[in-house]
Amino acid sequence: MTLRIAGMLLVLASGTVGAQAAPVLINGAGATFPFPLYSKWFSEYQKIDPAVEINYQSVGSGAGIRQFLDRTVDFGASDAPMTDAQLAKSDVPVLHVPTALGAVVVTYNLAAVTGRLALDGATLADIYLGKISYWDDARIQALNPKLSFPHTAIIVAHRSDGSGTTAIFADYLAKISPEWKDNVGVGTALKWPTGLGGKGNEGVTGLVKQTPGAIGYVELVYAHQNKLPVAALKNAAGKLIEPSVASVTAAAASSLKDIPADYRVSITNSPGASAYPISGFTYLLVYSKMPKGKGAPIVKFLGWALGAGQKTAEPLDYAPLPAALAKKVLVSVGTIALE
């Protein structure tokens, strides 16, 4: 009996009984904007291919790009396309893979106000510039004649970390407000004229939820999940548009002809009559040449994400890629070299 047990232990130690190869671990980091969607994708994909485990850290677009360029992760994620200067730091060409679209919404904490808030870009810019300080300001009241506002201070909430959500938001304001463009500008990290900073979409959502009188900008799903109201915004056609999958899709549709071959594009303030004005793509960042061991699973995952994975987007308040664009991106993914 003792010899039999010893033999079994030897076999187990050698890994020949019931042994399974450890899954390939793929690490990524970046944007908080698509985190709810990516969490769902990576969880679902592991059920499809148990041989692959994808670990994603929601650290913000700026940190994700840094980690990607430092090669401490296998892929990055950003809502702001990498700049030419950032791309120049990579010794291998980088491919931007648009995965979905989303809305950056203006959310607020005004318990005394019933009915949806309406804003235009110029008023929103002046709130974030610190030029409009109270909710009962005449410009806000003029946009909302049927609402009654308290004389409550506006507490501006913004991102404290490098953020693609910020880049989309600031890009929109810069198109509307010359003062914003000249004095604050566009980017993932800004010198804010006023307000409180929160880390990630989660942090800004938390600030707004906990602070009476607060206003902030987050991805649509974060406002919905936290039962926060969102403002309707006047778009380039002069229409008040509520953020939704349909209005984000309309923004993409009106900009499709302008999407360049590298997919780095802004679709804020799109001209369509039904377009929500603060819409944007979110991207996965991958190298155009990758080691086969991890590269092949990444390419396979991207194929799934651009195909069957798109069905997951709408239930989570993201807009799937237009079919023609998804097909084009799949061709680009097919050019990734595996070494």
Side-chain angles (χ1 to χ4, degrees):
M1 177 68 72
T2 302
L3 288 174
R4 184 179 177 188
I5 293 173
M8 290 179 65
L9 290 174
L10 182 62
V11 170
L12 287 170
S14 69
T16 57
V17 173
Q20 289 184 333
V24 176
L25 180 60
I26 296 171
N27 293 309
T32 65
F33 181 97
F35 181 56
L37 176 61
Y38 287 176
S39 294
K40 180 70 172 178
W41 273 0
F42 299 147
S43 174
E44 288 298 312
Y45 191 71
Q46 191 166 22
K47 297 174 186 176
I48 295 168
D49 188 354
V52 176
E53 181 180 340
I54 304 176
N55 174 51
Y56 181 74
Q57 298 298 315
S58 175
V59 294
S61 296
I65 289 172
R66 286 194 300 273
Q67 291 186 38
F68 176 65
L69 289 173
D70 290 342
R71 296 221 180 217
T72 58
V73 293
D74 302 304
F75 66 89
S78 179
D79 316 310
M82 292 174 67
T83 65
D84 289 344
Q86 289 170 331
L87 291 172
K89 294 178 181 179
S90 175
D91 56 353
V92 176
V94 173
L95 178 62
H96 286 72
V97 181
T99 53
L101 298 112
V104 177
V105 303
V106 177
T107 186
Y108 52 96
N109 184 339
L110 280 176
V113 175
T114 57
R116 188 183 296 275
L117 177 69
L119 292 171
D120 59 19
T123 302
L124 183 59
D126 281 351
I127 289 172
Y128 269 80
L129 285 166
K131 297 174 69 175
I132 296 178
S133 303
Y134 289 89
W135 280 107
D136 60 350
D137 185 276
R139 289 172 60 187
I140 297 176
Q141 189 66 70
L143 289 165
N144 298 271
K146 295 182 179 180
L147 300 182
S148 179
F149 294 93
H151 186 63
T152 299
I154 299 174
I155 309 300
V156 168
H158 57 72
R159 290 286 287 272
S160 60
D161 55 331
S163 160
T165 310
T166 293
I168 295 171
F169 183 70
D171 180 66
Y172 167 68
L173 294 184
K175 290 178 179 178
I176 301 296
S177 167
E179 184 176 353
W180 183 275
K181 182 178 180 180
D182 294 340
N183 297 339
V184 183
V186 179
T188 56
L190 303 174
K191 186 175 180 180
W192 294 96
T194 187
L196 304 174
K199 187 174 182 180
N201 272 275
E202 302 91 339
V204 173
T205 303
L207 279 175
V208 173
K209 194 170 185 178
Q210 297 163 15
T211 311
I215 188 170
Y217 61 92
V218 296
E219 207 284 329
L220 177 59
V221 67
Y222 290 88
H224 279 178
Q225 287 179 348
N226 287 275
K227 297 180 171 54
L228 287 170
V230 296
L233 294 178
K234 190 170 289 188
N235 68 8
K239 306 290 186 180
L240 278 172
I241 302 295
E242 296 180 8
S244 67
V245 170
S247 59
V248 170
T249 300
S254 62
S255 302
L256 275 179
K257 65 180 184 300
D258 299 320
I259 295 178
D262 64 4
Y263 307 114
R264 294 189 297 160
V265 67
S266 164
I267 61 169
T268 59
N269 211 36
S270 290
S274 301
Y276 178 71
I278 321 183
S279 299
F281 287 100
T282 191
Y283 303 88
L284 286 180
L285 309 172
V286 295
Y287 290 105
S288 60
K289 295 180 182 179
M290 291 186 281
K292 189 174 182 180
K294 289 195 175 184
I298 289 174
V299 169
K300 187 177 177 183
F301 165 75
L302 291 173
W304 176 85
L306 293 166
Q310 293 293 301
K311 298 175 184 177
T312 311
E314 187 167 350
L316 292 173
D317 289 322
Y318 297 89
L321 297 179
L325 178 60
K327 185 176 180 180
K328 182 179 178 182
V329 178
L330 273 171
V331 173
S332 297
V333 168
T335 67
I336 295 174
L338 302 176
E339 301 174 336

